[in-house]
Amino acid sequence: MSETIKLSFDDGYKNIELNGNPNKIIRINPTDTQFINRISGFDEKYENIRSRYGDIDMNSINDLQNLDENNPDFEKLKLAADSVDKLDMAVKDLINDIFGYDISLIVFGTDSCLSPAGGQPIFMNFMQCIFAYINECSVEERKKSQEKLNSYAAQRNTIVSETK
């Protein structure tokens, strides 16, 4: 019977707890080069999402500002609610595509990612926060890589000079 060997190595993945909630833990590799490829394919992702959800009637959402409080038009309310739901699902799908898994369920739960907090939709707060973290990790990893390359170069130079 053959023995199973278990190896572990640093694959770059980080478990990130969001907003101090131990039930909101996402797993990402902040220095994954495929992440950049997924972001750069935004136009294609947008078109896929647009074909999935159709055109979202943004005017119906804007029309809510003109509703008569004393005699609301429930048809306009329903149309606007449907548009907001579609937009919420589309944004969540886009975020999921960028991260490569259903991260939206963990991040937003059943809340709308369009809900405002701090003057902007919460999906923007999340994306700004995660992009800042990814940038910080990328800078740190480049620095570590450069230090290792410098160390290897110094070792090589020592070996080469000793053989002369």
Side-chain angles (χ1 to χ4, degrees), residues 25-58:
I25 296 178
I26 60 172
R27 181 171 159 76
I28 66 167
N29 180 345
T31 56
D32 178 16
T33 55
Q34 286 301 315
F35 183 80
I36 295 167
N37 289 338
R38 290 189 298 268
I39 290 174
S40 68
F42 178 81
D43 292 341
E44 182 181 321
K45 286 176 186 13
Y46 171 77
E47 285 305 319
N48 290 341
I49 288 169
R50 189 171 176 208
S51 67
R52 204 176 315 157
Y53 294 104
D55 286 326
I56 297 171
D57 185 3
M58 298 303 285

Short mmCIF file of all heavy atoms in Angstrom, two decimals, residues 25-58:
data_model
loop_
_atom_site.label_atom_id
_atom_site.label_comp_id
_atom_site.label_asym_id
_atom_site.label_seq_id
_atom_site.Cartn_x
_atom_site.Cartn_y
_atom_site.Cartn_z
N ILE A 25 -15.99 35.67 5.85
CA ILE A 25 -14.59 35.44 5.51
C ILE A 25 -14.49 35.10 4.03
O ILE A 25 -15.12 34.15 3.56
CB ILE A 25 -13.98 34.32 6.38
CG1 ILE A 25 -13.98 34.77 7.84
CG2 ILE A 25 -12.56 33.98 5.90
CD1 ILE A 25 -13.45 33.75 8.81
N ILE A 26 -13.73 35.91 3.32
CA ILE A 26 -13.48 35.65 1.90
C ILE A 26 -12.07 35.11 1.75
O ILE A 26 -11.21 35.33 2.60
CB ILE A 26 -13.69 36.91 1.03
CG1 ILE A 26 -12.75 38.03 1.46
CG2 ILE A 26 -15.15 37.35 1.08
CD1 ILE A 26 -12.76 39.24 0.53
N ARG A 27 -11.85 34.36 0.69
CA ARG A 27 -10.54 33.76 0.43
C ARG A 27 -10.10 34.22 -0.95
O ARG A 27 -10.75 33.93 -1.95
CB ARG A 27 -10.64 32.24 0.49
CG ARG A 27 -9.35 31.51 0.26
CD ARG A 27 -9.53 30.02 0.57
NE ARG A 27 -8.54 29.18 -0.06
CZ ARG A 27 -7.29 29.05 0.33
NH1 ARG A 27 -6.87 29.73 1.38
NH2 ARG A 27 -6.45 28.26 -0.29
N ILE A 28 -9.00 34.98 -0.97
CA ILE A 28 -8.46 35.46 -2.24
C ILE A 28 -6.94 35.36 -2.23
O ILE A 28 -6.32 35.30 -1.18
CB ILE A 28 -8.87 36.93 -2.54
CG1 ILE A 28 -8.23 37.89 -1.53
CG2 ILE A 28 -10.38 37.09 -2.58
CD1 ILE A 28 -8.33 39.35 -1.94
N ASN A 29 -6.39 35.35 -3.43
CA ASN A 29 -4.95 35.50 -3.60
C ASN A 29 -4.75 36.92 -4.12
O ASN A 29 -4.98 37.19 -5.30
CB ASN A 29 -4.41 34.47 -4.59
CG ASN A 29 -2.92 34.62 -4.79
OD1 ASN A 29 -2.33 35.62 -4.42
ND2 ASN A 29 -2.30 33.62 -5.39
N PRO A 30 -4.35 37.84 -3.25
CA PRO A 30 -4.28 39.25 -3.65
C PRO A 30 -3.22 39.55 -4.71
O PRO A 30 -3.26 40.62 -5.31
CB PRO A 30 -3.96 39.98 -2.35
CG PRO A 30 -3.37 38.95 -1.45
CD PRO A 30 -3.97 37.64 -1.86
N THR A 31 -2.32 38.62 -4.97
CA THR A 31 -1.31 38.87 -5.99
C THR A 31 -1.49 37.96 -7.21
O THR A 31 -0.58 37.81 -8.02
CB THR A 31 0.11 38.68 -5.39
OG1 THR A 31 0.21 37.38 -4.84
CG2 THR A 31 0.39 39.73 -4.33
N ASP A 32 -2.67 37.38 -7.35
CA ASP A 32 -2.98 36.50 -8.48
C ASP A 32 -3.02 37.32 -9.77
O ASP A 32 -3.81 38.25 -9.90
CB ASP A 32 -4.33 35.83 -8.24
CG ASP A 32 -4.76 34.93 -9.39
OD1 ASP A 32 -3.92 34.57 -10.23
OD2 ASP A 32 -5.95 34.58 -9.43
N THR A 33 -2.16 36.97 -10.72
CA THR A 33 -2.12 37.71 -11.98
C THR A 33 -3.39 37.47 -12.80
O THR A 33 -3.75 38.32 -13.63
CB THR A 33 -0.89 37.33 -12.81
OG1 THR A 33 -0.88 35.90 -13.01
CG2 THR A 33 0.39 37.75 -12.11
N GLN A 34 -4.08 36.37 -12.59
CA GLN A 34 -5.33 36.13 -13.30
C GLN A 34 -6.41 37.13 -12.88
O GLN A 34 -7.34 37.40 -13.63
CB GLN A 34 -5.82 34.70 -13.09
CG GLN A 34 -5.03 33.66 -13.85
CD GLN A 34 -5.06 33.92 -15.35
OE1 GLN A 34 -6.10 34.20 -15.92
NE2 GLN A 34 -3.90 33.85 -15.98
N PHE A 35 -6.29 37.64 -11.66
CA PHE A 35 -7.24 38.66 -11.19
C PHE A 35 -7.20 39.86 -12.13
O PHE A 35 -8.25 40.38 -12.52
CB PHE A 35 -6.88 39.07 -9.76
CG PHE A 35 -7.83 40.04 -9.14
CD1 PHE A 35 -9.03 39.61 -8.62
CD2 PHE A 35 -7.52 41.39 -9.08
CE1 PHE A 35 -9.92 40.51 -8.05
CE2 PHE A 35 -8.40 42.29 -8.50
CZ PHE A 35 -9.61 41.84 -7.99
N ILE A 36 -6.01 40.27 -12.52
CA ILE A 36 -5.86 41.40 -13.45
C ILE A 36 -6.49 41.06 -14.79
O ILE A 36 -7.18 41.88 -15.38
CB ILE A 36 -4.37 41.77 -13.61
CG1 ILE A 36 -3.83 42.29 -12.28
CG2 ILE A 36 -4.16 42.79 -14.71
CD1 ILE A 36 -2.33 42.40 -12.20
N ASN A 37 -6.30 39.81 -15.24
CA ASN A 37 -6.92 39.40 -16.51
C ASN A 37 -8.44 39.44 -16.41
O ASN A 37 -9.12 39.84 -17.37
CB ASN A 37 -6.47 37.98 -16.89
CG ASN A 37 -5.03 37.94 -17.32
OD1 ASN A 37 -4.47 38.95 -17.72
ND2 ASN A 37 -4.43 36.79 -17.25
N ARG A 38 -8.98 39.02 -15.27
CA ARG A 38 -10.44 39.03 -15.12
C ARG A 38 -10.97 40.47 -15.09
O ARG A 38 -12.02 40.75 -15.63
CB ARG A 38 -10.86 38.27 -13.86
CG ARG A 38 -10.64 36.76 -14.01
CD ARG A 38 -11.26 35.98 -12.88
NE ARG A 38 -10.70 36.26 -11.57
CZ ARG A 38 -9.70 35.60 -11.01
NH1 ARG A 38 -9.11 34.60 -11.65
NH2 ARG A 38 -9.28 35.91 -9.80
N ILE A 39 -10.22 41.38 -14.47
CA ILE A 39 -10.64 42.79 -14.47
C ILE A 39 -10.52 43.37 -15.87
O ILE A 39 -11.40 44.10 -16.32
CB ILE A 39 -9.81 43.61 -13.47
CG1 ILE A 39 -10.17 43.23 -12.04
CG2 ILE A 39 -10.03 45.10 -13.68
CD1 ILE A 39 -9.32 43.89 -11.00
N SER A 40 -9.45 43.03 -16.56
CA SER A 40 -9.24 43.60 -17.90
C SER A 40 -10.28 43.11 -18.89
O SER A 40 -10.52 43.77 -19.91
CB SER A 40 -7.83 43.29 -18.40
OG SER A 40 -7.70 41.91 -18.66
N GLY A 41 -10.94 41.99 -18.63
CA GLY A 41 -12.01 41.50 -19.50
C GLY A 41 -13.36 42.09 -19.14
O GLY A 41 -14.39 41.50 -19.44
N PHE A 42 -13.35 43.27 -18.53
CA PHE A 42 -14.59 43.89 -18.05
C PHE A 42 -15.61 44.07 -19.16
O PHE A 42 -16.79 43.81 -18.98
CB PHE A 42 -14.28 45.23 -17.39
CG PHE A 42 -15.50 45.95 -16.91
CD1 PHE A 42 -16.09 45.61 -15.71
CD2 PHE A 42 -16.06 46.96 -17.68
CE1 PHE A 42 -17.23 46.27 -15.27
CE2 PHE A 42 -17.20 47.62 -17.25
CZ PHE A 42 -17.78 47.27 -16.04
N ASP A 43 -15.17 44.53 -20.34
CA ASP A 43 -16.11 44.79 -21.43
C ASP A 43 -16.87 43.53 -21.82
O ASP A 43 -18.09 43.56 -22.00
CB ASP A 43 -15.38 45.35 -22.66
CG ASP A 43 -14.85 46.75 -22.43
OD1 ASP A 43 -15.33 47.41 -21.49
OD2 ASP A 43 -13.95 47.17 -23.17
N GLU A 44 -16.14 42.42 -21.91
CA GLU A 44 -16.78 41.15 -22.27
C GLU A 44 -17.73 40.70 -21.16
O GLU A 44 -18.85 40.25 -21.43
CB GLU A 44 -15.71 40.08 -22.50
CG GLU A 44 -16.27 38.74 -22.92
CD GLU A 44 -15.16 37.72 -23.11
OE1 GLU A 44 -14.09 38.09 -23.64
OE2 GLU A 44 -15.38 36.56 -22.72
N LYS A 45 -17.30 40.85 -19.92
CA LYS A 45 -18.16 40.48 -18.78
C LYS A 45 -19.42 41.34 -18.76
O LYS A 45 -20.51 40.85 -18.52
CB LYS A 45 -17.40 40.63 -17.47
CG LYS A 45 -16.38 39.55 -17.24
CD LYS A 45 -15.62 39.83 -15.97
CE LYS A 45 -14.48 38.92 -15.69
NZ LYS A 45 -13.99 38.06 -16.70
N TYR A 46 -19.25 42.62 -19.03
CA TYR A 46 -20.39 43.53 -19.06
C TYR A 46 -21.39 43.08 -20.12
O TYR A 46 -22.59 43.04 -19.88
CB TYR A 46 -19.92 44.96 -19.33
CG TYR A 46 -21.06 45.91 -19.58
CD1 TYR A 46 -21.84 46.39 -18.52
CD2 TYR A 46 -21.39 46.33 -20.87
CE1 TYR A 46 -22.90 47.25 -18.74
CE2 TYR A 46 -22.44 47.18 -21.10
CZ TYR A 46 -23.19 47.64 -20.03
OH TYR A 46 -24.25 48.48 -20.25
N GLU A 47 -20.90 42.72 -21.30
CA GLU A 47 -21.79 42.28 -22.37
C GLU A 47 -22.49 40.97 -22.00
O GLU A 47 -23.68 40.80 -22.27
CB GLU A 47 -21.02 42.11 -23.69
CG GLU A 47 -20.68 43.43 -24.35
CD GLU A 47 -21.90 44.32 -24.59
OE1 GLU A 47 -22.96 43.81 -25.00
OE2 GLU A 47 -21.79 45.54 -24.36
N ASN A 48 -21.78 40.03 -21.35
CA ASN A 48 -22.41 38.78 -20.91
C ASN A 48 -23.51 39.06 -19.90
O ASN A 48 -24.60 38.46 -19.96
CB ASN A 48 -21.38 37.84 -20.27
CG ASN A 48 -20.42 37.26 -21.28
OD1 ASN A 48 -20.69 37.27 -22.48
ND2 ASN A 48 -19.29 36.79 -20.81
N ILE A 49 -23.24 39.95 -18.97
CA ILE A 49 -24.24 40.29 -17.95
C ILE A 49 -25.41 41.03 -18.58
O ILE A 49 -26.57 40.77 -18.27
CB ILE A 49 -23.58 41.09 -16.81
CG1 ILE A 49 -22.70 40.13 -15.99
CG2 ILE A 49 -24.62 41.77 -15.93
CD1 ILE A 49 -21.81 40.79 -15.00
N ARG A 50 -25.11 41.89 -19.51
CA ARG A 50 -26.18 42.63 -20.20
C ARG A 50 -27.08 41.68 -20.97
O ARG A 50 -28.30 41.82 -20.96
CB ARG A 50 -25.56 43.66 -21.13
CG ARG A 50 -26.57 44.59 -21.71
CD ARG A 50 -25.89 45.71 -22.45
NE ARG A 50 -26.90 46.53 -23.07
CZ ARG A 50 -26.71 47.22 -24.15
NH1 ARG A 50 -25.52 47.23 -24.72
NH2 ARG A 50 -27.67 47.93 -24.66
N SER A 51 -26.50 40.68 -21.61
CA SER A 51 -27.33 39.72 -22.34
C SER A 51 -28.15 38.86 -21.37
O SER A 51 -29.25 38.45 -21.68
CB SER A 51 -26.48 38.84 -23.27
OG SER A 51 -25.66 38.00 -22.52
N ARG A 52 -27.61 38.61 -20.17
CA ARG A 52 -28.31 37.81 -19.16
C ARG A 52 -29.49 38.58 -18.57
O ARG A 52 -30.55 38.02 -18.34
CB ARG A 52 -27.32 37.43 -18.06
CG ARG A 52 -27.70 36.20 -17.29
CD ARG A 52 -26.65 35.80 -16.26
NE ARG A 52 -25.30 35.84 -16.77
CZ ARG A 52 -24.22 35.96 -16.02
NH1 ARG A 52 -24.32 36.03 -14.71
NH2 ARG A 52 -23.02 35.98 -16.54
N TYR A 53 -29.31 39.87 -18.31
CA TYR A 53 -30.35 40.66 -17.63
C TYR A 53 -31.09 41.63 -18.56
O TYR A 53 -32.07 42.23 -18.14
CB TYR A 53 -29.73 41.45 -16.47
CG TYR A 53 -29.22 40.55 -15.38
CD1 TYR A 53 -27.87 40.32 -15.23
CD2 TYR A 53 -30.10 39.92 -14.51
CE1 TYR A 53 -27.41 39.48 -14.23
CE2 TYR A 53 -29.65 39.08 -13.52
CZ TYR A 53 -28.30 38.87 -13.38
OH TYR A 53 -27.85 38.03 -12.41
N GLY A 54 -30.62 41.80 -19.76
CA GLY A 54 -31.26 42.76 -20.66
C GLY A 54 -30.90 44.17 -20.26
O GLY A 54 -30.11 44.41 -19.35
N ASP A 55 -31.47 45.11 -20.97
CA ASP A 55 -31.24 46.51 -20.63
C ASP A 55 -31.98 46.83 -19.35
O ASP A 55 -33.15 46.50 -19.19
CB ASP A 55 -31.73 47.42 -21.76
CG ASP A 55 -30.80 47.40 -22.97
OD1 ASP A 55 -29.57 47.27 -22.75
OD2 ASP A 55 -31.29 47.51 -24.09
N ILE A 56 -31.29 47.46 -18.44
CA ILE A 56 -31.89 47.85 -17.17
C ILE A 56 -32.39 49.27 -17.31
O ILE A 56 -31.63 50.17 -17.70
CB ILE A 56 -30.87 47.71 -16.02
CG1 ILE A 56 -30.46 46.24 -15.88
CG2 ILE A 56 -31.44 48.24 -14.71
CD1 ILE A 56 -29.32 45.99 -14.94
N ASP A 57 -33.66 49.46 -17.03
CA ASP A 57 -34.32 50.75 -17.21
C ASP A 57 -33.95 51.69 -16.07
O ASP A 57 -34.62 51.75 -15.05
CB ASP A 57 -35.84 50.56 -17.30
CG ASP A 57 -36.57 51.85 -17.61
OD1 ASP A 57 -35.89 52.88 -17.82
OD2 ASP A 57 -37.81 51.82 -17.65
N MET A 58 -32.85 52.42 -16.25
CA MET A 58 -32.40 53.35 -15.23
C MET A 58 -33.38 54.53 -15.07
O MET A 58 -33.49 55.11 -14.00
CB MET A 58 -31.00 53.88 -15.55
CG MET A 58 -29.94 52.80 -15.60
SD MET A 58 -29.81 51.86 -14.07
CE MET A 58 -28.98 53.02 -13.05
#
